[in-house]
Amino acid sequence: MSHQLTIEPLGQTIEVEEGQTILDAALRAGIYLPHACCHGLCATCKIQVTDGEIDQGEASGFALMDYEREEGMCLACCATLESDVVIEAEIDEEPDARNLPVLDYPGTVTRIESLTPTIKGVWVRLDSPIAFQAGQYVNLSIPGEGTARAFSIASCPSDGGEIELNIRHVPGGRGTGWVHQQLKAGDRVQLAGPYGRFFVRESGHEKDNLGYLFLAGGSGLSSPRSMVLDLLAQGCQRPITLVNGARCQGELYHHEQFEQLAAQHANFTYVAALSDEPADSDWSGARGFVHDVAKTHFGNDFRGHKAYLCGPPLMIDACITTLMQGRLFERDIYTEKFISAADAQQVRSPLFRKI
C-alpha cells in the first residue's frame, strides 16, 4: 500500500511505496533532501513531520534524541510512512543542480584493470544510459549483502552508456573485497543513481572570473577526473588546476592522460604530488602532501578560485585549513565525503554546511 508525501516548502506531493524510506522516495522523484551517511547515524537528513504518522526505523538515539521524536522530528533515510504525511525540510536552492531522479541501472562489466596495487578500474556498460552531473556517484549493489556501496563516477557525463568506477580495496571491507576478488568482466551488476551534491558550480563564474581548483587524493580522484573531463569537453576556457596526490609513483594513476590533457589545453594545469616517493627515485615532479604542494604552487593565495576537494578525511581537513589560510573561504570550497557508520559517529564542525 502506498501513501502520499507532501514536501514543504516545495509544496510537491509524491507517491511513497510501502517500506520505502522518505529519502529514497524523494531522490527517486528528483527532489534532493540533504543527507550523508544514509545509516541513521549522522542526522544530516533530519526533517520535521507536520502531519501524518511515520515509523522511525533504525534511527540512532544519538542522531535523533527522544525529545526530538516527541516533537515530530525524524531521519529521512530511516523513516517510512504509515499514512499520508506532510514534512518540512531545509532545502537549499542550487542553481547549478540538475535534480536528476535516482533510477536503477542494470549493466554488464566490460573490463576490469588494476590501476594501482589497491585500486581497480571497473567499466560497466549500462542497459540504458545514465544522466548525471560530473562529480556525482552511484550505489553498486553487493550480492548476498542486501546492501550497496557508493562509488563516484570517474568518467565524463557525455558517455553515460558506459561508466568508469575507480574502487580502492578497503582491508576487511566486504563490498570492495568482492569487487577486487570476485567481480569479473561479463558479470551482471545493479547500480542506482545518480546521487550527491558534489558538482561544478558555474553560477557566479562569469561575473567574478573565477578559476577551478581540484584537490584529489587516492581514489578520490574519481570525481575531479569526471569534472575536469567534462569542463574540457565543453570547451571551458577558464583556468583549471588539478593537484593530484599519491604516496608514490606506483599509486599514481591516470597520470599520463592528465599530462596529455595539460599539453593539449593551455588553460589546464596538472600537478602530481607524491608524499612518500623514495628520495633517490627518478621522480622529478612535486613532493609532499596535496595541501602543501597546492600552497607552494599558488604562493599561498587561492583567491579567484572555487575549490573542489575529494579524498581521505585527513587530506580534506588539511586542504580546508590551507585554503582558508590562503584567503579562500567556505562559499568557494566544496567537498564530498562518503560517510561510513564509523565516520558518522565523529563530531563535525558546525562552522561548515557544505564542507
Side-chain angles (χ1 to χ4, degrees):
M1 178 181 178
S2 64
H3 295 290
Q4 300 288 312
L5 174 68
T6 301
I7 302 173
E8 299 293 357
L10 300 178
Q12 289 184 240
T13 299
I14 62 175
E15 195 87 5
V16 182
E17 299 299 325
E18 184 175 0
Q20 185 180 25
T21 67
I22 291 174
L23 178 61
D24 184 66
L27 294 177
R28 288 180 178 273
I31 300 171
Y32 180 81
L33 296 182
H35 62 281
C37 77
C38 295
H39 302 300
L41 295 168
C42 73
T44 304
C45 65
K46 191 178 296 180
I47 55 177
Q48 176 74 54
V49 177
T50 60
D51 189 40
E53 300 295 326
I54 56 104
D55 183 330
Q56 294 281 5
E58 297 182 0
S60 160
F62 172 80
L64 190 68
M65 303 294 184
D66 288 341
Y67 78 87
E68 292 178 306
R69 297 170 192 247
E70 293 172 1
E71 293 175 354
M73 305 294 288
C74 72
L75 301 185
C77 72
C78 297
T80 56
L81 305 193
E82 295 186 332
S83 70
D84 291 347
V85 166
V86 179
I87 64 169
E88 286 188 1
E90 291 188 17
I91 302 176
D92 294 330
E93 287 191 18
E94 289 278 7
D96 297 307
R98 292 180 60 189
N99 293 320
L100 298 164
V102 169
L103 301 173
D104 294 315
Y105 291 94
T108 302
V109 176
T110 55
R111 60 188 171 113
I112 299 178
E113 294 181 8
S114 292
L115 300 177
T116 77
T118 59
I119 299 174
K120 286 193 180 292
V122 179
W123 283 261
V124 181
R125 173 65 62 180
L126 304 176
D127 292 1
S128 58
I130 182 174
F132 68 97
Q133 289 186 266
Q136 291 189 296
Y137 66 93
V138 293
N139 280 341
L140 172 64
S141 295
I142 309 301
E145 291 290 314
T147 59
R149 299 293 187 274
F151 299 110
S152 292
I153 303 173
S155 45
C156 187
S158 60
D159 186 10
E162 183 179 54
I163 62 172
E164 176 185 347
L165 307 176
N166 300 156
I167 301 175
R168 180 178 67 88
H169 182 238
V170 178
R174 286 179 288 185
T176 61
W178 169 72
V179 170
H180 277 250
Q181 298 161 15
Q182 300 179 48
L183 188 65
K184 60 185 183 299
D187 285 353
R188 294 286 291 173
V189 292
Q190 184 74 33
L191 300 97
Y195 291 97
R197 221 55 168 177
F198 190 53
F199 51 82
V200 170
R201 269 69 174 182
E202 298 182 11
S203 299
H205 275 246
E206 299 79 3
K207 180 181 68 174
D208 299 328
N209 198 32
L210 300 177
Y212 298 100
L213 170 58
F214 299 95
L215 304 179
S219 59
L221 177 63
S222 298
S223 292
R225 178 173 182 259
S226 180
M227 292 166 152
V228 168
L229 293 177
D230 190 38
L231 286 169
L232 295 177
Q234 292 180 38
C236 174
Q237 296 301 309
R238 297 187 180 280
I240 304 170
T241 303
L242 168 64
V243 182
N244 178 33
R247 288 190 297 178
C248 59
Q249 290 188 65
E251 296 185 0
L252 194 63
Y253 67 101
H254 289 318
H255 178 65
E256 292 77 12
Q257 180 190 34
F258 287 122
E259 288 188 319
Q260 293 172 2
L261 289 172
Q264 295 167 1
H265 300 273
N267 64 317
F268 175 53
T269 301
Y270 170 60
V271 181
L274 302 184
S275 61
D276 196 26
E277 177 71 7
D280 59 353
S281 76
D282 61 354
W283 176 252
S284 60
R287 293 173 182 264
F289 293 108
V290 170
H291 63 285
D292 289 327
V293 171
K295 180 178 181 178
T296 299
H297 182 80
F298 284 94
N300 197 31
D301 187 352
F302 299 100
R303 289 175 297 176
H305 291 85
K306 283 186 180 290
Y308 299 85
L309 287 53
C310 198
L314 287 177
M315 185 215 90
I316 290 178
D317 291 342
C319 287
I320 291 172
T321 299
T322 298
L323 290 171
M324 296 188 72
Q325 289 173 345
R327 290 175 284 185
L328 195 69
F329 301 104
E330 183 194 358
R331 66 178 184 182
D332 292 320
I333 302 175
Y334 302 89
T335 188
E336 177 85 318
K337 292 182 182 179
F338 292 135
I339 300 178
S340 68
D343 293 331
Q345 303 285 4
Q346 299 178 11
V347 176
R348 291 183 293 165
S349 170
L351 294 177
F352 303 106
R353 296 191 64 191
K354 299 191 301 290
I355 60 181

